[in-house]
Amino acid sequence: IFSYKKPLAEKFLASIKQALESKFLKTLFPDVLYDNPDRESPSWSVMNGITVRRKNDTRTEPTVYASGLSEGMATGFHAERRIYDDVETADMAGSPDVMNDCYDKFDLSSFLGTKTADDLERVVGTFYHWEGPLARIQRLKKPDGASMYHARVIPGTKDGQPNGEPERCDFTHRED
């Protein structure tokens, strides 16, 4: 999970960790979830990532990890699925340098993928600037000119008014 800063991504990971610690899920998936993950799992923390049981024990990466783009980006990981949530924030909209840095870090983070056919990227967030990182990501094209991402854009505000409560959007990487 990638966010603008690592603490934002850690909030998402904390929710996942809490859900995976529930007795209900442990009962449903005893082959995947540990009875006592704090002691049994190779990694079970918001800071270092969480690891569930898996068929391939040779993987060193956590199953789910929180990473920042501008602060706290992971290094040395190779993930099949990268989810980008809250890569753009309202306070960065006033600084072209910060927006460019965030976009550049998004671009660099693609090297943390496995580069296999199973790779999946998803970008979710709120637009705060017409030239912000999300707007630039939405415009990315493949070599053949097709859009790199399928965008589902929801109106900018819930009530459609300029000063209304912001809505969210997400992009799914296209392989077709």
Side-chain angles (χ1 to χ4, degrees):
I1 302 170
F2 291 87
S3 293
Y4 173 59
K5 294 182 180 181
K6 186 171 179 174
L8 291 172
E10 287 176 339
K11 288 181 181 180
F12 295 111
L13 182 57
S15 296
I16 294 168
K17 180 179 176 283
Q18 182 178 5
L20 295 178
E21 291 171 342
S22 75
K23 286 185 178 190
F24 178 71
L25 287 180
K26 288 179 186 180
T27 302
L28 291 176
F29 303 103
D31 57 324
V32 176
L33 300 176
Y34 295 100
D35 287 330
N36 190 337
D38 288 320
R39 284 189 290 177
E40 298 174 87
S41 174
S43 179
W44 198 260
S45 72
V46 171
M47 180 181 270
N48 298 318
I50 57 175
T51 303
V52 298
R53 288 187 177 122
R54 46 177 100 158
K55 294 176 185 175
N56 183 352
D57 287 338
T58 61
R59 293 287 311 259
T60 58
E61 295 88 356
T63 308
V64 185
Y65 183 81
S67 180
L69 289 175
S70 291
E71 294 179 15
M73 187 184 302
T75 57
F77 286 137
H78 299 342
E80 292 94 6
R81 288 163 183 77
R82 293 182 318 280
I83 302 186
Y84 299 86
D85 203 331
D86 291 338
V87 299
E88 184 172 339
T89 62
D91 53 339
M92 77 168 48
S95 173
D97 290 339
V98 173
M99 289 189 298
N100 285 334
D101 179 64
C102 182
Y103 178 79
D104 291 345
K105 298 286 178 62
F106 168 83
D107 194 35
L108 283 173
S109 72
S110 69
F111 292 108
L112 297 174
T114 58
K115 303 295 182 198
T116 66
D118 295 333
D119 269 10
L120 173 75
E121 296 173 54
R122 185 169 187 185
V123 183
V124 182
T126 302
F127 291 95
Y128 289 99
H129 191 278
W130 62 274
E131 267 303 307
L134 287 177
R136 291 175 66 184
I137 292 166
Q138 183 183 13
R139 291 192 303 265
L140 288 173
K141 303 285 185 199
K142 294 180 183 181
D144 67 2
S147 293
M148 188 172 287
Y149 294 91
H150 170 74
R152 290 182 289 179
V153 180
I154 299 167
T157 59
K158 289 185 179 180
D159 62 3
Q161 298 301 310
N163 293 326
E165 185 179 346
E167 279 285 7
R168 297 176 58 78
C169 65
D170 65 55
F171 309 107
T172 304
H173 190 264
R174 295 176 61 164
E175 288 297 327
D176 55 348

